[in-house]
Amino acid sequence: MAAETVIIEKLGAKGDGVAQTPEGPVFVPFALPGERITIARQKSSGAMLALLEPAAERVEPACRHFGPDGKNGTCGGCSLQHLAPAPYHAFKRQVVIDALSAHGLDCPVEPLVTAAPGQRRRATFSARKTEAGIVLGFSSPESHHIVEIEECPVLSPALFSRLPALRLLAGILASESDPFRISALETETGLDISFSGLKPPSEKRRQAATRAVMALKGIARLTYEDEIIVEPVRPALNIAGTTVNPQPSGFAQATREAEEVMAGLVATHLKSAKHVADLFSGFGTFALRLAARSKVHAVEFDAKALAALDIAVRNRQGLKTVTSERRDLFRRPLLARELAGFDGAVFDPPRAGAGEQAEELARSKVSKIAAVSCNPATLARDLRLLVDGGYRIERVIPIDQFLWSHHVEAIALLSRAK
């Protein structure tokens, strides 16, 4: 590959610098608009060889593992540590604006709700057993190489401090050299750890891991896939004063701070609703807060998440009625006629969005809707359906939950037009 010099014109949706060439756009990681750089190109991808003229917005990365010269390789956890705060915040807000514009939605987008270092309470690590021991960290972009991390300004201090414990447990449970994953969630009672992608550990290894967990302290639960190996104490999350014991590998928002912001926006928007449908409810991140003043019907496909919600409700006094229903909302959305008894709704689907459910909401008479999404593209598609069905977008708020990545959360608050 011959070296060539290009000028970066803008940032792409994934945070890569974009240079226009006669052969088409070239995407260059870790490059910023206005920079002149030398690259090695392979089709539409470029690797930076030399930074000839840096942008004024370029700053020193917060982590030694960031970028093409990162220690132990290029960590794939972050993509935008080199961009100054103001343009970084503008970039994330613009991602939401562009997604809405692509679907013909011209509505004001509020300033980004920003994130700070040390807030991430949930992470999934890559790991591999080698002759020298366990390598644990994050994979390089588009590579199987695992960057062993010695620092991480994104993770909460409590989560980062337990990485030696994760390495120890990985050394006990892993019997082969194939890569595997370790998910960890910081809870009120200790770390909730789940291993996946490795060969089922033998009984001897399980017993050794159990002894290690009991000796380490600070670990609430250890699971392999969805099977509990040892649970010294039930993992617990506090949701507006209600204790929830999440299921193994259950979904939880990545940061407490973003969760509180999102829940507050949803609760304020739906405060006058008497009966709310919480669609894709999980274990009740929104339902348990909304139940302080409204009846709530939680709909979710994960039976274990609904069981956790049911136990939380039964153990908490002072909530309005919370009912639940196990249902695959992708295949069988709540129909418009089934929504007739609700005057409020919130949906927070996976990245694929809630297209089928949005179509039914668009046909309904629900007064107010809060749409939550980690994917602005599918959120915009779903909002288009709701607007075409007679809803008006009142507010769109982008939220930075995944610091220094290109990912951005967004909440849209809608009312049925009179």
Side-chain angles (χ1 to χ4, degrees), residues 75-122:
C75 177
C78 295
S79 56
L80 290 164
Q81 284 191 20
H82 59 313
L83 182 59
Y88 166 75
H89 297 155
F91 164 76
K92 288 214 162 179
R93 178 174 177 268
Q94 192 64 44
V95 169
V96 177
I97 293 172
D98 291 345
L100 295 171
S101 178
H103 288 269
L105 297 170
D106 183 14
C107 53
V109 175
E110 298 182 15
L112 179 77
V113 177
T114 61
Q119 293 182 343
R120 187 75 177 267
R121 65 174 177 181
R122 173 177 61 82

Side-chain angles (χ1 to χ4, degrees), residues 18-30:
V18 182
Q20 296 297 337
T21 72
E23 294 78 21
V26 178
F27 298 87
V28 186
F30 313 116

Side-chain angles (χ1 to χ4, degrees), residues 317-333:
Q317 301 296 318
L319 298 179
K320 300 287 186 180
T321 302
V322 178
T323 56
S324 63
E325 176 183 358
R326 183 171 186 255
R327 187 161 176 167
D328 184 347
L329 292 172
F330 292 112
R331 297 175 179 271
R332 197 164 64 90

Side-chain angles (χ1 to χ4, degrees), residues 121 125 136 149 155-170 182-187 189-193 195 212-221:
R121 65 174 177 181
F125 304 94
L136 184 146
I149 57 174
L155 299 180
S156 73
L159 179 53
F160 180 78
S161 69
R162 304 319 303 268
L163 294 191
L166 298 186
R167 288 190 178 92
L168 174 64
L169 293 171
I182 309 174
S183 297
L185 171 66
E186 179 190 345
T187 79
T189 54
L191 218 57
D192 189 6
I193 303 170
F195 281 72
V213 167
M214 300 306 293
L216 284 166
K217 309 296 184 184
I219 297 177
R221 179 169 60 196

